[in-house]
Amino acid sequence: MKIYRVTDKEFLSYGNVLDFDTKEILEEAEKIEMPTDGSMYVPTKEEFEKLSIMDIAKNEVFGGMPTQLGYCWGYNDTLNALEWHKCSEINIAVTDIILLVGDVRDVEEGNRYNSDKVKAFKVLKGEAVEMYATTLHYCPIQTSKDGFGCIVGLLKETNTDLDFVPQDKLVFCKNKWIIAHEDNAELIAQGVFGGIYGENYKI
């Protein structure tokens, strides 16, 4: 798999690079401890949301809508699944990361998706990107054995627990639709639909 940069024209279908000053939030993010293994996701972090970048994200990306800033942290080197939201997502790289992305319009009948359509994009530490609502994505990929860190901005309550029973079997959390790779027994055991076929890419 070729690894592009988010500054390459190939990323334009999936999102855009944001002209954000990330120095302050990176300094705050450096205080977060790495998990011993695996990855962790926290939808909202109060310390991030007190910073000036919070208003910039809320107003410039989400048009003034209620917004949350959280983080995804840990270790990952495999595709495993793809998710999407009915809004854009902001990713700020606290370490260099690789994003594996696709287009929701390529999801086939029966909620099947061919992993051959996935593309890889590298985001350098300090860079901020917006990924569009049509962009399939999942946990960032680390670029070193030390793991990865990524700040995540979304509409408020996205990725939090459901308070209703959805008819759509792909809805897993609020404003989160997800399909797992058919080889990912762990996610499937949690009730995620195994619709991704082809190679479960490992980088």
Side-chain angles (χ1 to χ4, degrees):
M1 177 183 286
K2 179 175 180 179
I3 300 175
Y4 298 95
R5 284 274 289 114
V6 288
T7 50
D8 293 337
K9 61 180 177 57
E10 285 80 6
F11 189 65
L12 295 175
S13 298
Y14 304 101
N16 69 96
V17 179
L18 299 168
D19 185 22
F20 283 4
D21 182 351
T22 61
K23 182 175 184 295
E24 186 180 32
I25 198 167
L26 287 182
E27 290 176 353
E28 185 63 42
E30 297 286 356
K31 302 174 185 177
I32 300 171
E33 292 187 9
M34 193 69 69
T36 54
D37 57 26
S39 61
M40 60 184 293
Y41 171 71
V42 176
T44 180
K45 183 169 174 61
E46 183 179 0
E47 291 82 356
F48 291 167
E49 296 174 357
K50 290 178 178 178
L51 303 176
S52 58
I53 198 171
M54 175 64 171
D55 284 338
I56 297 169
K58 175 182 175 180
N59 297 331
E60 301 304 319
V61 176
F62 297 112
M65 294 292 289
T67 299
Q68 64 191 28
L69 288 177
Y71 60 92
C72 190
W73 233 247
Y75 304 91
N76 183 47
D77 60 8
T78 309
L79 172 64
N80 282 329
L82 290 166
E83 68 180 45
W84 64 98
H85 316 289
K86 299 299 174 74
C87 67
S88 289
E89 175 173 314
I90 299 169
N91 283 173
I92 301 172
V94 181
T95 63
D96 290 358
I97 57 174
I98 293 171
L99 300 175
L100 297 179
V101 303
D103 192 315
V104 70
R105 290 162 291 195
D106 288 327
V107 176
E108 303 163 4
E109 186 177 355
N111 298 314
R112 300 279 288 164
Y113 181 84
N114 188 337
S115 67
D116 285 351
K117 296 183 180 297
V118 168
K119 286 188 170 61
F121 292 92
K122 189 172 186 179
V123 192
L124 300 182
K125 178 179 179 177
E127 289 183 328
V129 297
E130 173 189 3
M131 290 193 293
Y132 301 139
T134 50
T135 298
L136 304 170
H137 59 280
Y138 196 52
C139 186
I141 303 291
Q142 66 198 54
T143 61
S144 81
K145 61 179 177 57
D146 297 324
F148 73 89
C150 181
I151 295 162
V152 181
L154 286 156
L155 288 183
K156 198 167 183 64
E157 294 193 31
T158 297
N159 286 331
T160 61
D161 292 340
L162 295 172
D163 53 13
F164 64 96
V165 179
Q167 294 184 8
D168 186 343
K169 64 184 177 182
L170 302 186
V171 178
F172 194 70
C173 296
K174 288 183 179 179
N175 194 23
K176 174 176 179 168
W177 288 255
I178 183 171
I179 49 179
H181 193 280
E182 58 188 8
D183 292 341
N184 191 312
E186 182 178 352
L187 281 176
I188 293 171
Q190 295 175 38
V192 177
F193 177 71
I196 302 174
Y197 64 95
E199 186 171 354
N200 190 14
Y201 288 105
K202 186 171 183 176
I203 295 179

